[in-house]
Amino acid sequence: MYVDHKEVGLRIKKLRNQNGVTQEQLAEQLNITTNFLYRIESGNRAASLDLLVEITVHFGVTLDYLVLGNEQPRDSLKEKVRVLIQFLIKWLEEL
């Protein structure tokens, strides 16, 4: 399987723009330089797996979406969050 770093960069840029975040802001939040983020978004540099995971957490998307462009159905994601919240509530009650 081939990862298209240019497409990954475009998805990161799209997420950043959809959330009204500048390159400078996102770079600071991810603890990287603005130049490095620019190079990732333009496809000239590949992000590490750790950085990709940070970006997915930051924007609330899946790694599958960020790397491969596969959309996860919203209902499926909502259900996973609901199950996780129920588990955490149950776990807290047992403490």
Side-chain angles (χ1 to χ4, degrees), residues 8-66:
V8 172
L10 289 173
R11 283 189 283 278
I12 293 169
K13 183 176 183 176
K14 179 181 175 183
L15 288 166
R16 182 176 57 74
N17 288 329
Q18 286 175 339
N19 288 275
V21 179
T22 66
Q23 277 187 334
E24 292 79 13
Q25 292 168 328
L26 182 58
E28 183 177 327
Q29 293 163 353
L30 297 173
N31 201 28
I32 60 174
T33 66
T34 304
N35 186 41
F36 185 58
L37 179 58
Y38 169 78
R39 290 173 30 202
I40 291 171
E41 286 187 354
S42 63
N44 294 325
R45 181 71 192 247
S48 68
L49 181 58
D50 289 342
L51 182 56
L52 291 174
V53 169
E54 279 189 59
I55 293 168
T56 63
V57 170
H58 184 81
F59 290 117
V61 297
T62 64
L63 193 56
D64 192 41
Y65 166 72
L66 193 61

Side-chain angles (χ1 to χ4, degrees), residues 79-91:
E79 178 62 18
K80 288 179 181 180
V81 170
R82 187 187 65 72
V83 169
L84 178 60
I85 290 170
Q86 286 177 339
F87 170 78
L88 291 172
I89 290 170
K90 192 177 224 179
W91 181 70

